[in-house]
Amino acid sequence: MFTDPAVLSCPAAQAPAKLTGRVMFALSRAEWQLFFPQYIRAEEDMQAHADWADGGVELVRWSGNGSGIQGPAGFAEALARLKPDVLVSSWSTPAIPNSVLAADGPNRTVPAYVCHTTGSVKHLFTRAYLERGGLVTNWGTLASQAVAEHALMLTLSSLRRMPEWAPVIAGKRPWQPSPIYTQTLYGKRVGLHGMGNVARALSLLLRPFGVKLSAWSGGVPAELYSQAGIPRAASLEELFANSDVVIDCEALTPRTAGIVSMEILQQMPQGALFVNVGRGLVVDEHALAELAGRGRIRIALDVFSKDPITPNSPLHSVEDAVLSPHIAGPTSDQFARCGELVMRNLEAYFTGLPLEAVVTLEMWDRST
């Protein structure tokens, strides 16, 4: 069961009359501290920030007992009792029960608007919620820029052979002549597997390097490539075959799971680089380890088939692999910006203004 909520009363604002309602923050203590650090010490801070609520909107904060918010049964009970108009959710928020989603009439307790602090919302509700007119927002493009930046860092680190630096610095390998065979990104053929926010943000970072850019993602309309100014590869096979560097930022869906197979990876030129900042299950991890282990390709990864990477993963045996612990984005200093986006959207919702980072049915179908 949930404990009794702490209701943050919002002071009146010198503004036109606004809507009334209730906002339920269903975040764990850790998530609250991550996204709303400015409101940890004093409720007055939240009240001052939410002066748009004019006393008619309740902000109900749900935090657990230190181990995350309570389970599905308690969550369903809280929704039924509080009947929030808006649910502010995060990673630990339980799914809205099907019984709640299916209810209709005066007993309906499903929130009209889900304001998600992070990215994917598919663990929270079914597609039917959007079909029935439910509003959903997430962190939008805030994360994509950080993920793109990390992808560029992984690419440069691998091309410059970062795993080989330490033995030279330690004096175990000679400094002269040039102790490490490094490569530049300038002029390389770079393929993007994916055409979402990350791919588009990454394309902007890559352009100053004069790369020959192309992309492929199944089901993405041709006009999206044109709008982004990125040539479309004829197929996934062609993308891998004609790229010196492939950066994977594709969403994980039933269609894309395992799509980067051994056969696809073998299309890459000898010594080409595969970077993954998307989802680990999109690629055959054993094929990656085998091909990279014998020098057929190089790899730089931020995501794995199991997160965190397991101790017995074959990737540990690839000496020149660049591996990072799923930290592509957002960076630590950006989580508060995600919280600020939540507060802006709450204000917009209750004052009748357009919402930012709205999740559409098309985005739902293409997202992880």
Side-chain angles (χ1 to χ4, degrees):
M1 298 286 292
F2 283 93
T3 57
D4 287 338
V7 178
L8 309 184
S9 299
C10 302
Q14 300 300 317
K18 301 176 178 65
L19 299 174
T20 60
R22 175 174 286 155
V23 180
M24 177 177 168
F25 287 77
L27 280 66
S28 70
R29 294 178 189 273
E31 289 163 346
W32 185 269
Q33 293 169 355
L34 195 65
F35 293 105
F36 304 102
Q38 64 271 49
Y39 309 131
I40 292 298
R41 294 183 180 178
E43 292 181 359
E44 290 76 14
D45 290 341
M46 174 68 86
Q47 292 169 5
H49 192 101
D51 59 2
W52 44 267
D54 77 2
V57 178
E58 290 181 322
L59 304 183
V60 185
R61 175 180 167 184
W62 283 107
S63 293
N65 55 8
S67 59
I69 68 176
Q70 303 298 321
F75 185 56
E77 182 274 333
L79 289 173
R81 178 162 52 86
L82 292 172
K83 297 179 173 59
D85 300 277
V86 181
L87 172 66
V88 178
S89 55
S90 194
W91 294 301
S92 70
T93 308
I96 300 175
N98 288 332
S99 58
V100 173
L101 291 171
D104 209 345
N107 295 324
R108 189 178 185 194
T109 59
V110 60
Y113 170 30
V114 175
C115 184
H116 197 53
T117 57
T118 63
S120 178
V121 295
K122 284 193 170 180
H123 68 289
L124 289 172
F125 47 78
T126 64
R127 192 179 191 274
Y129 175 76
L130 288 172
E131 293 172 341
R132 293 176 61 174
L135 291 173
V136 180
T137 59
N138 63 5
W139 61 18
T141 60
L142 283 176
S144 60
Q145 293 175 340
V147 176
E149 178 185 54
H150 195 83
L152 179 60
M153 184 274 294
L154 289 177
T155 301
L156 294 172
S157 296
S158 184
L159 290 174
R160 294 295 179 127
R161 303 297 200 266
M162 187 182 69
E164 300 180 38
W165 297 355
V168 177
I169 293 296
K172 296 178 181 179
R173 290 175 58 176
W175 284 69
Q176 295 296 333
S178 182
I180 302 171
Y181 178 77
T182 59
Q183 292 180 293
T184 181
L185 179 59
Y186 281 92
K188 289 286 191 294
R189 299 174 299 169
V190 178
L192 304 179
H193 179 205
M195 267 301 294
N197 289 331
V198 172
R200 294 193 291 274
L202 185 54
S203 70
L204 299 178
L205 296 181
L206 290 168
R207 293 191 192 283
F209 291 90
V211 300
K212 300 176 179 65
L213 197 62
S214 61
W216 185 90
S217 182
V220 174
E223 56 265 28
L224 192 59
Y225 295 87
S226 299
Q227 292 169 6
I230 305 174
R232 180 184 184 183
S235 64
L236 185 63
E237 290 81 359
E238 181 184 276
L239 183 79
F240 275 69
N242 294 333
S243 298
D244 304 305
V245 179
V246 172
I247 303 176
D248 208 299
C249 44
E250 182 65 284
L252 178 63
T253 66
R255 178 185 57 81
T256 62
I259 194 172
V260 182
S261 61
M262 171 67 85
E263 182 180 4
I264 293 293
L265 290 168
Q266 286 178 326
Q267 301 294 317
M268 298 181 75
Q270 173 68 35
L273 170 62
F274 177 81
V275 180
N276 194 358
V277 292
R279 297 289 171 172
L281 289 172
V282 167
V283 61
D284 181 340
E285 200 164 272
H286 288 276
L288 270 185
E290 178 183 337
L291 294 174
R294 51 188 172 91
R296 174 66 177 76
I297 62 173
R298 299 181 65 83
I299 56 175
L301 314 172
D302 183 60
V303 290
F304 309 95
S305 59
K306 291 185 178 179
D307 192 12
I309 187 173
T310 58
N312 62 347
S313 170
L315 295 171
H316 290 299
S317 63
V318 183
E319 293 183 359
D320 61 357
V322 178
L323 308 178
S324 62
H326 202 159
I327 56 171
T331 53
S332 301
D333 56 352
Q334 284 191 311
F335 284 113
R337 292 182 61 201
C338 298
E340 291 168 1
L341 174 59
V342 166
M343 297 306 295
R344 289 200 305 274
N345 268 337
L346 291 179
E347 178 176 4
Y349 179 77
F350 285 106
T351 57
L353 296 175
L355 300 176
E356 300 178 53
V358 175
V359 177
T360 64
L361 279 169
E362 179 187 3
M363 293 176 182
W364 168 277
D365 292 336
R366 292 175 49 206
S367 66
T368 294

